[in-house]
Amino acid sequence: MTSSSQGTPTAAMVREIPAHEERRVRSHWVDVNGHLNVQHYFTLAVTTVGYWYEDIGLDQRYRVERRHSLFTQAHHLTYHAEVALDDRISVRPRLLARSARAVHARSFLVNETRDRLACTLEVVFVHVGLDDRATAAFAPDVAGWIDAAAAAQPALTWDPGAGSVLWRPGGVAA
């Protein structure tokens, strides 16, 4: 499989990542231009990554018991193709990297009806203490949860982090 001339992965490539969410576009999600409104691209992409983190243990129980959470530090949304009313879409999250205090992920929204990658959301979450609101290192067991989840992801034939604008080796971009 090859990417497009711009280096953007194809829908077929992205389908190597398991879908975490699949839906049909509803009428109240469509804007005056006749396509999915920006708020819904963003909500679908970021919420799916959030659910994925909850699945590995960074959930409400973690927030209450450990008094830590993940806060969004930065995000970068890129549109690749339109999504219209009644199109079927899937959202596919991928953990890309972790540092001592942050995680880097990307969510891929695929227009299944039109066989196109519709958008990508690159996001950096920082680990924060809920009492002092300061960034904090992941506890060793939590870092292990994240690393195990990353290792359990299926191998891909392409680099889902290619073209990253928010992350540099060693952590978050300055």
Side-chain angles (χ1 to χ4, degrees):
M1 291 180 223
T2 61
S3 64
S4 70
S5 60
Q6 294 86 18
T8 303
T10 65
M13 294 165 73
V14 172
R15 284 191 196 98
E16 294 178 22
I17 300 169
H20 199 285
E21 186 86 21
E22 296 182 75
R23 298 179 174 228
R24 186 171 298 280
V25 174
R26 299 171 175 250
S27 61
H28 62 278
W29 296 356
V30 175
D31 65 18
V32 298
N33 294 315
H35 55 223
L36 189 64
N37 184 282
V38 62
Q39 69 185 349
H40 298 292
Y41 281 100
F42 179 79
T43 299
L44 287 163
V46 78
T47 301
T48 299
V49 172
Y51 289 152
W52 190 81
Y53 286 126
E54 289 195 2
D55 288 348
I56 65 171
L58 300 172
D59 55 11
Q60 181 62 20
R61 182 176 176 184
Y62 177 78
R63 289 184 286 279
V64 169
E65 292 179 2
R66 301 272 188 119
R67 301 292 305 146
H68 285 83
S69 189
L70 294 174
F71 286 15
T72 301
Q73 188 269 334
H75 56 76
H76 181 82
L77 189 64
T78 304
Y79 301 97
H80 304 284
E82 285 186 299
V83 175
L85 178 64
D86 290 329
D87 284 351
R88 288 179 304 102
I89 57 172
S90 65
V91 189
R92 299 159 184 277
R94 182 76 176 194
L95 178 65
L96 300 175
R98 177 186 68 78
S99 70
R101 297 171 183 257
V103 286
H104 180 214
R106 200 172 244 167
S107 191
F108 300 85
L109 193 148
V110 175
N111 184 328
E112 298 293 346
T113 300
R114 300 171 196 279
D115 193 32
R116 301 281 311 272
L117 176 63
C119 83
T120 55
L121 173 70
E122 180 185 2
V123 62
V124 174
F125 294 99
V126 292
H127 191 238
V128 174
L130 293 175
D131 296 324
D132 63 7
R133 311 303 261 195
T135 60
F138 292 107
D141 64 327
V142 177
W145 300 345
I146 297 166
D147 294 344
Q153 296 177 122
L156 303 177
T157 60
W158 56 284
D159 179 5
S164 172
V165 297
L166 298 179
W167 193 270
R168 300 292 178 260
V172 179

